[in-house]
Amino acid sequence: MTAPAGHAEQLWSRCAGCASLLYRKRLRRNLDVCPECGEHTRLGAPERLRQLVDPGSLRLLPDRLPEADPLDFVDVLPYPHRLSAARASTGLAEAVLCGTATIGGQPTALAVMDFRFLGGSLGCAVGELITRTAERALDDRVPLILVTASGGARMQEGALSLMQMATVSQAIAALREAGLLTVSVLTDPTYGGVAASFATNTDLVLAESGARMGFAGPRVIRQVTGRALPEGFQTADFLLRHGQVDMVVQRRSLRGRLAALLAAARAGRPARAPVPRQEPARHHERLAGAVPTVPPAEADGHRPVGERPADDGPTPAVRDAWDTVRTARHPGRPTTLDYLDSVFDGFVELHGDRLGGDCPAIVGGVARLAGRHVMVIGHQKGHTTADLVARNFGMASPAGHRKALRLMRLAARLGLPVVTLVDTPGADPGISAEEQGQAAAIAENILTLTVLPTPVLAVITGEGGSGGALALAVADRVLMLQHAVYSVISPEGCAAILWPDRSAAPQAARALRLTAPDLCRLGVVDEIVPEPATAAHDDPAETARRLRAALLANLLPLLDVPPAMLVRLRRQRFRRFGAPRAGARAGAR
Ligand SMILES: [Zn+2]
């Protein structure tokens, strides 16, 4: 709805659906749904909460976190300026409002996103606040409701915002394990990293009438495919037709539906003793074999991001981030199949997602690493145009993510460690990928990896592109080749949004902190694998030798750690990417 100019501004607004001029009070009485055409206006988080919960039952959780600009990100405006402007215009501290309340008398915890605040983007503070809400639900043994509205991860916080997809997902996994219901309510719009994590890996997914949800946004899909999008693409009804949501709900029915679902979950819940929730990293259990996973210096989890000392490994010569991007994309760079040939022995490829597809952009199967059996899963690009096209440039479809999921679970059942090799510009942003549930496929992989009871070792070998990379990179140890990159968005994509045009990609590459040394400093990556001479493609045999040594050095200590402890330590690893914690936790309770 847009308000007509002039004095009538406060009293009237024009419907974006049917252009009717509507009396504002009447519109609000109708829950901001146009009485003429049914258009659902976007709601801010405070109004959404008011509509959903029983009057007087809401207790907001603290939302103030220490200021964070972990990358010192500047595009045409410094990030802190954008934050201040968002706070001033919305009156909110961040893009999410969290609390506990009752709905139809049923107790629940809720996190409600607000699209008006920097497009509802998922940064460290938002991830931290939602995670705390999920932890509160676990403590109180009540269901969790997430109302999503987001353009995706917050670019200004780079790979740290990508990590929030894992952080929130593992909190949802903990609720799954405890038998507590999780529900997401998709509102318009829900895209990118939010769609590909907690918006779709909950037990139930409801879509508000008129909401659109997808992994890739319509503009990106049109740009990449050059095709017109089908009528109603990514709308709630489209999602229902394609099996991606449980129901489409009119706003006026939403509260009643949620109350009924909460009541059913409560009735069906078996009586059980409260499970103490997993303590954050400071209660690190010391176990000889576990030490390499979380070095004691970091085990308290209180070190602010950005202050992590660099790895003891080599200090690579500084080169410009944009040059590194081009090196990481070099067509001669060794691929996953090359490494399977040079680093591993006896690779037996396994195919298929068992649901109707086999994606060539993901290869996986059993192999041996220095005589030890492992499951290897990786993105496959190619060296020639024909290879690249046949492999969809290493951009996995939902079938690819589901094949990877199948192999991860198989590995856990067989007790095999998982080694992933990440080299993708991103997940497939095509029309059929959206139809087949790309967001949910990625989300399920991320969640599953946070609880997979077997060692997981990830290596970013080339391009680590956004959610598609993270779908294989939630691991006990994350290694990165010296000239690989790992980023929440491509520099070109970031430039197109935050700069006047895509030609600012080199500046964006620098601002995003996507190189191995940067990510090591931020704690996203544990170790850099040095490349020979100028780069991996100049001496693939030497690259393979170094990768093999790094894999063994990192994998062997993990093999002695009991699976339950591995999962605990992995969760601690991904729990520490929240907003700065100094003094914050006291206010969380
Ligand atoms: Zn209307």
Side-chain angles (χ1 to χ4, degrees):
M1 311 267 160
T2 51
H7 294 299
E9 197 172 337
Q10 299 307 312
L11 292 177
W12 299 89
S13 55
R14 192 177 292 284
C15 173
C18 66
S20 298
L21 203 55
L22 300 166
Y23 188 47
R24 278 224 161 174
K25 281 188 178 166
R26 180 177 172 225
L27 185 61
R28 177 103 324 171
R29 271 200 307 277
N30 204 41
L31 306 177
D32 289 84
V33 176
C34 173
E36 305 298 327
C37 74
E39 167 91 3
H40 283 51
T41 303
R42 286 178 189 169
L43 292 182
E47 177 59 19
R48 173 70 68 180
L49 276 167
R50 200 186 65 73
Q51 290 188 9
L52 284 185
V53 308
D54 297 341
S57 71
L58 181 66
R59 300 284 174 274
L60 287 176
L61 296 172
D63 59 2
R64 299 276 164 188
L65 294 171
E67 283 298 320
D69 179 12
L71 310 189
D72 297 321
F73 193 98
V74 176
D75 49 273
V76 292
L77 271 183
Y79 175 39
H81 293 203
R82 291 191 187 269
L83 272 177
S84 310
R87 289 192 176 125
S89 68
T90 60
L92 298 175
E94 256 298 345
V96 68
L97 208 49
C98 306
T100 60
T102 60
I103 298 179
Q106 304 291 334
T108 187
L110 301 96
V112 178
M113 303 186 81
D114 196 311
F115 192 75
R116 298 170 304 163
F117 194 107
L118 296 179
S121 53
L122 172 66
C124 291
V126 173
E128 177 70 20
L129 293 169
I130 298 176
T131 299
R132 287 183 191 175
T133 310
E135 289 171 350
R136 176 62 183 264
L138 189 60
D139 283 348
D140 293 358
R141 302 203 54 78
V142 298
L144 174 70
I145 296 174
L146 303 173
V147 181
T148 62
S150 176
R154 190 170 293 174
M155 287 171 286
Q156 293 91 341
E157 295 183 23
L160 292 173
S161 64
L162 192 63
M163 297 300 112
Q164 300 307 314
M165 296 165 67
T167 308
V168 179
S169 291
Q170 68 188 9
I172 288 174
L175 291 168
R176 262 195 207 180
E177 285 170 354
L180 294 166
L181 181 72
T182 56
V183 182
S184 84
V185 177
L186 309 177
T187 74
D188 195 58
T190 297
Y191 279 97
V194 169
S197 58
F198 54 86
T200 55
N201 59 22
T202 47
D203 296 318
L204 301 176
V205 184
L206 279 55
E208 185 173 58
S209 184
R212 290 162 304 149
M213 185 278 284
F215 174 65
R219 204 175 31 192
V220 169
I221 299 174
R222 266 195 302 266
Q223 222 168 53
V224 172
T225 62
R227 286 169 58 193
L229 302 178
E231 180 71 22
F233 187 64
Q234 296 180 323
T235 59
D237 294 320
F238 167 97
L239 297 170
L240 184 69
R241 238 183 4 262
H242 289 283
Q244 297 184 39
V245 298
D246 290 285
M247 63 187 89
V248 179
V249 189
Q250 298 281 324
R251 187 170 289 167
R252 64 169 182 277
S253 310
L254 195 51
R255 185 173 157 187
R257 284 299 167 85
L258 286 172
L261 294 169
L262 294 179
R266 195 172 174 81
R269 204 166 87 224
R272 65 172 92 182
V275 183
R277 90 171 155 80
Q278 189 203 319
E279 281 303 305
R282 61 194 149 147
H283 295 294
H284 172 58
E285 290 169 79
R286 289 175 195 284
L287 210 147
V291 171
T293 311
V294 178
E298 293 138 39
D300 65 8
H302 285 251
R303 187 192 297 281
V305 256
E307 283 184 28
R308 188 164 183 267
D311 205 86
D312 291 337
T315 317
V318 177
R319 67 160 88 176
D320 181 67
W322 182 243
D323 289 337
T324 308
V325 170
R326 291 195 299 192
T327 306
R329 293 173 179 171
H330 194 285
R333 203 167 170 83
T335 66
T336 292
L337 285 176
D338 295 330
Y339 289 127
L340 277 161
D341 195 41
S342 57
V343 174
F344 300 87
D345 307 296
F347 175 55
V348 179
E349 186 169 0
L350 303 170
H351 290 277
D353 68 352
R354 300 296 186 273
L355 295 164
D358 182 45
C359 170
I362 296 249
V363 296
V366 289
R368 291 190 312 276
L369 177 67
R372 292 172 188 277
H373 293 270
V374 294
M375 182 73 77
V376 184
I377 306 167
H379 300 99
Q380 178 61 26
K381 285 185 175 173
H383 300 298
T384 66
T385 304
D387 281 351
L388 283 164
V389 169
R391 298 286 181 177
N392 198 26
F393 300 87
M395 298 188 295
S397 65
H401 292 121
R402 287 167 183 143
K403 171 165 69 177
L405 181 69
R406 197 187 125 235
L407 298 184
M408 291 168 197
R409 287 180 170 152
L410 176 62
R413 275 204 303 284
L414 299 177
L416 295 175
V418 174
V419 176
T420 64
L421 303 176
V422 175
D423 185 15
T424 179
D428 182 0
I431 292 170
S432 60
E434 295 292 325
E435 288 171 345
Q436 292 155 19
Q438 184 68 289
I442 294 170
E444 192 60 26
N445 282 20
I446 292 170
L447 185 146
T448 299
L449 280 171
T450 68
V451 293
L452 200 73
T454 196
V456 184
L457 182 55
V459 190
I460 318 294
T461 61
E463 280 183 285
S466 186
L470 190 68
L472 293 188
V474 180
D476 301 304
R477 297 279 292 170
V478 180
L479 314 185
M480 191 160 168
L481 260 64
Q482 185 181 348
H483 304 307
V485 293
Y486 189 13
S487 178
V488 66
I489 187 170
S490 72
E492 291 89 342
C494 182
I497 298 169
L498 293 181
W499 274 266
D501 62 79
R502 297 169 79 84
S503 66
Q507 286 103 292
R510 280 163 224 141
L512 283 166
R513 315 271 176 208
L514 43 61
T515 66
D518 278 335
L519 293 167
C520 220
R521 264 193 299 279
L522 292 167
V524 172
V525 164
D526 299 296
E527 190 177 313
I528 302 173
V529 183
E531 295 186 25
T534 29
H537 58 264
D538 287 329
D539 192 347
E542 176 60 17
T543 305
R545 200 189 60 75
R546 294 180 184 192
L547 177 58
R548 190 166 193 267
L551 284 174
L552 279 171
N554 283 278
L555 186 62
L556 296 182
L558 296 176
L559 299 178
D560 299 326
V561 184
M565 163 99 30
L566 269 179
V567 170
R568 255 200 310 278
L569 292 170
R570 195 181 308 144
R571 284 179 164 182
Q572 288 170 8
R573 188 187 185 283
F574 284 88
R575 184 68 183 81
R576 72 177 188 217
F577 296 115
R581 307 176 69 91
R585 282 209 68 83
R589 296 304 173 88

